[in-house]
Amino acid sequence: MKLFFVSTILFFILKSTQGSDWPTYGGPDRNHQSQEKTLRLDWGNEEPQVLWKLEVGLGYSSVVEANGLAYTQGYKDNRNTLYCVNSQNGKVLWTHTYESGLGDKYFQGGTRSTPTIFKNKVYLQGHEGPLFCLDANTGKVIWQRHLVDELDGNCPTWGYSGSPLVVENKVIVQTGSSDGSLVALNITTGKEVWRGGTAEAGYASPYLRASNPSEIVVFNQYGLSLHDLQTGEEKVSYQHKTRYEVNAAQPMDLGDQVLVASGYGKGAALLDLKSSQPKVLWESDGVACQMASLIHLNGYAYGIHGQTGANAKRATLFCLELSDGRKIWEERGFGVGTVILIDKTLAVLSDRGELALVKASSNGFNELVRFHVLGGKNNWTPLSYVNGRMHCRSSSGSWVCLSMGK
């Protein structure tokens, strides 16, 4: 078993270093980071070449890419559609469509969950509960389940949003059932393997701890939960509730420590997880990450503090010293946008569709360049970067692929 875990870690390290795939939400390690050193930083008066554009329908599913194929899903006319395209030219190779409601509770609605690619299979979740395993090359349905109708799930207010976690022949998803809120299914058949926990489903995606890949990190409506990969048993929990039960940003894995952050007036907490009972090292209501996940580099965190709605313009991009939770710098002008890290550069997408490259440095805010790449508003979907290609997706459904490599 130890050999398997070591092999798994080495595999993901190799994949992220090569930069050949972005197979699930947040990239190969689900931490919104790419180790590629291909990003062009000096643009002068030039702008990135648009390789291709595609309209895919309403929603917030981010883009994944593996083996030269790129995928995302969008909503139109009471249906969600998963698109598989050639990542070089944007040619649609196949689609998979299934019935779905809009789900526009206090926002424009559409798809939420990002698909996961694993060994030539696509694992796709819909916001009302359907879960599919598809052939990644043809779109053929291999098996399907339903989180509510079959697995006794309780769909959260804003719909299922997490990306399926695929590991060790298991597909792991949050159902929100009071009788096993986290469920593992057999990767080949879709049959249930185990279930554990009782908390209602949150909006983040489960992932394996970097320091202990036998444990699954889940950010649900109750707060943070750690589950055993083999049995699903909940081993550790920490209450971190918000006014509307929304925990959406990915917890930041720091080895023996985890940083959780939410909006809605709740803020952030740095937790020490060396014992069975989490110890709070610091808390701050000045680090309120409503949707965008935090980025870690060299002892500092970078993220978006703020809230959607009337005060969205007051949101800030910030740099945080992790040891004590002190903000080093912050800058307005991105709204409630999203952030990924490419090598040592932040790629920030504002909620109005502007793409900025910002130096990831504690020495102060240093914007290198900014482009307007998407229209509309409420652009809350994080970027994806693969082999010099930057995938940008708007809430209204415009998928733009830019050439941003050297």
Side-chain angles (χ1 to χ4, degrees):
M1 191 59 67
K2 288 183 179 179
L3 179 60
F4 169 80
F5 288 137
V6 170
S7 300
T8 301
I9 292 171
L10 289 175
F11 171 78
F12 282 120
I13 289 174
L14 178 61
K15 294 297 282 183
S16 62
T17 301
Q18 291 175 332
S20 58
D21 286 338
W22 190 280
T24 189
Y25 180 73
D29 302 315
R30 294 205 172 196
N31 61 1
H32 294 88
Q33 297 191 27
S34 167
Q35 301 302 319
E36 284 194 42
K37 300 183 185 300
T38 60
L39 182 64
R40 178 180 170 184
L41 302 179
D42 183 8
W43 289 89
N45 294 323
E46 297 181 68
E47 294 199 356
Q49 176 190 359
V50 177
L51 295 175
W52 46 267
K53 294 181 179 180
L54 194 64
E55 294 298 322
V56 295
L58 293 172
Y60 299 86
S61 168
S62 61
V63 176
V64 295
E65 182 180 327
N67 302 317
L69 303 178
Y71 309 78
T72 195
Q73 63 169 335
Y75 170 91
K76 185 178 180 181
D77 298 331
N78 298 314
R79 293 181 177 182
N80 285 343
T81 298
L82 175 69
Y83 290 81
C84 170
V85 308
N86 182 309
S87 60
Q88 300 284 343
N89 56 29
K91 179 182 178 182
V92 178
L93 301 177
W94 57 261
T95 61
H96 172 72
T97 299
Y98 59 99
E99 292 186 1
S100 177
L102 176 59
D104 56 337
K105 186 178 179 66
Y106 305 124
F107 78 117
Q108 66 193 47
T111 60
R112 278 75 147 170
S113 180
T114 297
T116 292
I117 314 301
F118 185 80
K119 291 186 177 179
N120 294 314
K121 302 293 190 299
V122 184
Y123 299 89
L124 176 70
Q125 184 171 284
H127 55 273
E128 293 182 324
L131 177 68
F132 302 91
C133 172
L134 310 168
D135 185 290
N137 296 307
T138 66
K140 178 183 177 181
V141 177
I142 297 171
W143 55 260
Q144 65 183 79
R145 301 295 304 271
H146 200 283
L147 306 188
V148 177
D149 298 343
E150 297 180 68
L151 300 174
D152 194 32
N154 183 16
C155 188
T157 302
W158 282 275
Y160 291 110
S161 303
S163 181
L165 172 64
V166 184
V167 61
E168 200 181 319
N169 296 318
K170 301 179 184 70
V171 183
I172 300 168
V173 292
Q174 290 189 74
T175 67
S177 170
S178 58
D179 180 25
S181 59
L182 190 71
V183 173
L185 306 175
N186 181 279
I187 195 173
T188 304
T189 64
K191 291 184 178 179
E192 185 175 318
V193 177
W194 54 247
R195 56 173 58 210
T198 60
E200 293 189 61
Y203 303 93
S205 299
Y207 67 86
L208 295 183
R209 289 185 70 186
S211 60
N212 184 1
S214 66
E215 293 182 343
I216 306 164
V217 179
V218 183
F219 204 26
N220 50 45
Q221 291 189 28
Y222 176 84
L224 184 77
S225 295
L226 302 183
H227 291 255
D228 184 89
L229 176 60
Q230 301 303 318
T231 66
E233 176 190 0
E234 185 179 69
K235 301 169 67 175
V236 176
S237 66
Y238 170 76
Q239 182 172 317
H240 188 87
K241 289 185 175 182
T242 68
R243 287 200 303 268
Y244 302 103
E245 291 80 42
V246 176
N247 285 322
Q250 297 289 95
M252 178 187 285
D253 192 329
L254 299 167
D256 290 333
Q257 300 173 354
V258 170
L259 177 61
V260 293
S262 303
Y264 307 95
K266 181 61 178 178
L270 181 64
L271 309 175
D272 188 317
L273 300 179
K274 288 195 289 289
S275 61
S276 59
Q277 183 63 37
K279 178 183 178 182
V280 178
L281 300 178
W282 56 256
E283 293 179 293
S284 173
D285 59 6
V287 182
C289 302
Q290 184 182 13
M291 287 173 289
S293 301
L294 288 155
I295 303 297
H296 173 228
L297 182 65
N298 298 330
Y300 294 90
Y302 301 88
I304 298 286
H305 164 79
Q307 194 83 21
T308 58
N311 293 321
K313 291 183 179 180
R314 299 175 60 187
T316 58
L317 174 71
F318 65 84
C319 171
L320 179 81
E321 188 167 28
L322 285 168
S323 61
D324 58 8
R326 178 174 56 92
K327 281 185 181 178
I328 304 300
W329 57 258
E330 58 184 327
E331 186 76 17
R332 291 185 182 181
F334 302 95
V336 186
T338 60
V339 189
I340 67 171
L341 181 71
I342 305 169
D343 191 20
K344 297 180 181 179
T345 302
L346 303 172
V348 188
L349 182 67
S350 79
D351 57 7
R352 296 287 175 170
E354 290 183 311
L355 168 59
L357 300 182
V358 177
K359 189 172 288 187
S361 171
S362 59
N363 293 327
F365 174 75
N366 184 357
E367 182 174 299
L368 304 175
V369 69
R370 188 184 292 223
F371 313 104
H372 200 280
V373 297
L374 295 172
K377 58 182 181 178
N378 297 339
N379 293 314
W380 305 326
T381 302
L383 302 157
S384 304
Y385 187 74
V386 187
N387 292 323
R389 292 183 291 272
M390 188 80 77
H391 293 285
C392 315
R393 192 271 172 74
S394 75
S395 60
S396 60
S398 294
W399 179 2
V400 179
C401 181
L402 304 175
S403 176
M404 294 193 68
K406 295 177 183 177

